[in-house]
Amino acid sequence: MTPLFDPPEPPMVPISQGGRGFPVRRIFCVGRNYAAHAAEMGNEVDREAPFYFTKSPSAICDTGRTVPYPPGTIDFHHEMELVVAIGAPAFRVEQDAAMAPVLGYAAGLDMTRRDLQQKGKDARRPWDLGKDFENSAVIGPITPAAQFTPGRQRIAMMCNGVVRQDARLDDMIWSVPEIVADLSRYYHLDAGDLIYTGTPAGVGPVSPGDVLQGMIEGLAQVELTIGAPQ
């Protein structure tokens, strides 16, 4: 069958060594994985199991870019996160084997149209308009798993030089192996999948002209500048 048009190339995330790229296949995001963030949003933490939402690969945005303030919102928020890059098949894996398919880690920003997300929640409708849109999955270079193990590393984000989010990775309710094992119960995870693991407390609005800098100890920083509205 001949395609009607040329399919787009998958977005590529640079790997910090070797000059190779990570083609993005899917993006999974963990909701409410830090208790303090859940509380600041007026939510209780479900400790029975993690829950997820997704973003399209077209949401990927390389670090260092200036992106327009997105359409349809007046409440655009930052969420700083550890991102897990999957590099091998994983289906129904146990926790003690869940780190094997992890290729590496990156610092990321889950950008959110908070008013549209809340509108969906209030109407008991999907969050897609609030979460899945262009440039909403910002990511820095991937550091190979052999060089980084999630633990007590600091995760923080600054807006115009002022710290807004500041926590430790071990504040996560669900650890990386728990997330990978659980998610693999529902999906055939494979090379090219990214998992945004949730954000600590301190999320908040951004405006045109704001410069965001996110860091996780041991990983390359992620940076984003908010441009004028489209």
Side-chain angles (χ1 to χ4, degrees):
M1 186 180 299
T2 302
L4 182 63
F5 51 86
D6 292 334
E9 294 290 331
M12 300 274 281
V13 179
I15 298 173
S16 61
Q17 292 185 357
R20 305 185 71 180
F22 180 91
V24 178
R25 177 173 177 253
R26 293 181 294 187
I27 304 170
F28 300 96
C29 304
V30 183
R32 302 174 193 167
N33 200 24
Y34 290 77
H37 170 61
E40 75 177 348
M41 301 302 295
N43 299 310
E44 294 185 2
V45 174
D46 182 356
R47 297 182 183 273
E48 292 295 320
F51 83 92
Y52 311 97
F53 57 92
T54 61
K55 291 178 183 265
S56 307
S58 59
I60 284 291
C61 175
D62 293 332
T63 183
R65 287 185 56 194
T66 297
V67 302
Y69 193 95
T73 183
I74 57 172
D75 196 19
F76 188 35
H77 278 214
H78 60 79
E79 299 189 7
M80 179 66 198
E81 311 204 1
L82 172 70
V83 185
V84 178
I86 301 297
F91 181 60
R92 294 176 179 167
V93 297
E94 298 297 329
Q95 284 186 34
D96 59 3
M99 300 299 278
V102 175
L103 179 135
Y105 302 90
L109 291 165
D110 166 20
M111 303 302 292
T112 302
R113 295 191 281 207
R114 188 72 71 200
D115 46 357
L116 299 187
Q117 182 193 29
Q118 189 61 50
K119 185 177 180 179
K121 289 180 179 180
D122 292 344
R124 295 190 175 183
R125 293 175 179 172
W127 297 0
D128 297 52
L129 285 177
K131 287 290 190 179
D132 188 4
F133 55 97
E134 292 90 346
N135 301 315
S136 65
V138 190
I139 189 167
I142 296 170
T143 295
Q147 301 171 23
F148 182 86
T149 300
R152 283 193 48 79
Q153 294 94 338
R154 183 187 181 205
I155 175 172
M157 201 223 73
M158 296 177 291
C159 180
N160 303 324
V162 178
V163 175
R164 287 195 176 179
Q165 295 184 265
D166 199 346
R168 299 282 177 180
L169 292 183
D170 63 354
D171 291 335
M172 288 195 297
I173 296 164
W174 304 102
S175 67
V176 171
E178 288 173 324
I179 292 166
V180 173
D182 184 74
L183 195 56
S184 77
R185 296 171 56 203
Y186 305 101
Y187 296 92
H188 289 77
L189 299 178
D190 211 335
D193 291 339
L194 294 174
I195 306 172
Y196 282 63
T197 59
T199 192
V203 302
V206 297
S207 301
D210 285 347
V211 177
L212 310 182
Q213 293 177 305
M215 59 81 65
I216 298 173
E217 289 177 339
L219 300 179
Q221 287 193 357
V222 61
E223 299 183 3
L224 184 72
T225 300
I226 310 302
Q230 291 182 312

